[in-house]
Amino acid sequence: MRPDIKVWNPENPAQWNKTLAWTTVWLSTFSLTFGFCAWFLVPSLAPRLNEIGFSLTHSQLYWLVAMVGLSAGTLRILWTFLPPILGTRVLVTFSTGLLLIPLFCWVYAVQHVDTPYWVLLGFALLSGIGGGTFSGLMASTNYFFPKHERGFALGVQGGLSDFGTGLVQFVTPLVIGFSALACLGSGQVAHLPDGKTITYWLQNAAWVWIPLVALVTILSWLFLRSVPVTANIKQQWAIFGNKHTWFMTLFYYGTFATFAGLGAQLALLGNHTFAGIEGAPSAVALAWLGPVIGALSRVGAGQVSDKIRGGRVTTIMAICNIIGLLALWWYKPTSVAGCWIWLIIMFWIFFWTGVGNASTTEQMAVLFPPLQGGAVVGWTSAIGAYGPFTIGMLLAECGAGVMFGVSTLIFVAILAINIYYYDRKNAPDLC
């Protein structure tokens, strides 16, 4: 157990420990990556639940995935205010250990096809813990770096942790097809749409992360330290009197909500969009690519935003997302080639929303001092985490056309506000 740091000022090289700062980034990033794996475990399992014996409608499946976003967004609001209260070491250790709860819940659920729908919804809400911790850990990292390096550090942490959304969807098909962990549970006979049968071990999709989560929990307790940044909730509440907090909330909601919402629903949305097209690509098999593309673009865009201004990157990002969303709103695939065009447009959106996640985070680091900046990063990421819920709700109740239309309007608003306040020659808050 290492003592907390008594003197810490990242802007003064003599009072800044770069090694500790990056150790915090990497352990927090691993925690967040596995958190995103727990969060997106539900989207990776949902398309296969009916195959193993569940009887869920399209609407129920959309809502099941949406519940994860509802939980994550709500928990992020709580986690936003925890960093200066608990300290980094306790916060990261506690947040990582909590991930074991939803992982064990889904180990149970997939082996009991008689599990009631309301219990599945409860397990989905618990999976939101994996997304809920993001706001606290990102806000905490904000304390560890000087202003000119925060964009890159937060870009690395946010981008690589976002990688977990694609990682779990990539790993799940690889691990559910073998019985290496058969001693930890029996297989499930799956009836595929083409009439074939296959044995799955869906519990492996959760088991594979459990030892890694346990390891990061232990390492966080042993190697992390807390810095002297303290505040109560009332002091952090001051951010809500600043107009930039609300602008950044809209910006991050538009970018992360679209990234996470489409990442969670891509497999189901693609399956329904391609229904009836013989030879269509498998959206389930390719769903992992979108989040990975967005995660990687976020890592690179953080450093670019530090160099050329986050506001300029946000302008470019908003224009590119408007183009992509309008294309998806208008385009309806009718052939195999059309399905691939639809997927390419979708991956275009993932790329640019990842860029926007980084550029808006960099803008927050410039607009706010460290304590307020941490709270703003946490708050905006909390609202952004509602993306899987709002997008899932729109898909379930209104359809894909309405969902793409609403998302387009959000990016139009982002573009207008960003140019006026942050990215024109005489902008009042050029950043």
Side-chain angles (χ1 to χ4, degrees), residues 26 230 338:
W26 290 118
T230 60

Side-chain angles (χ1 to χ4, degrees), residues 151-152 155-156 159 294-306 313 354-355 358:
F152 178 56
V156 169
L296 292 177
S297 70
R298 179 171 185 167
V299 174
Q303 194 165 22
V304 173
S305 297
D306 277 336
V313 176
V355 170

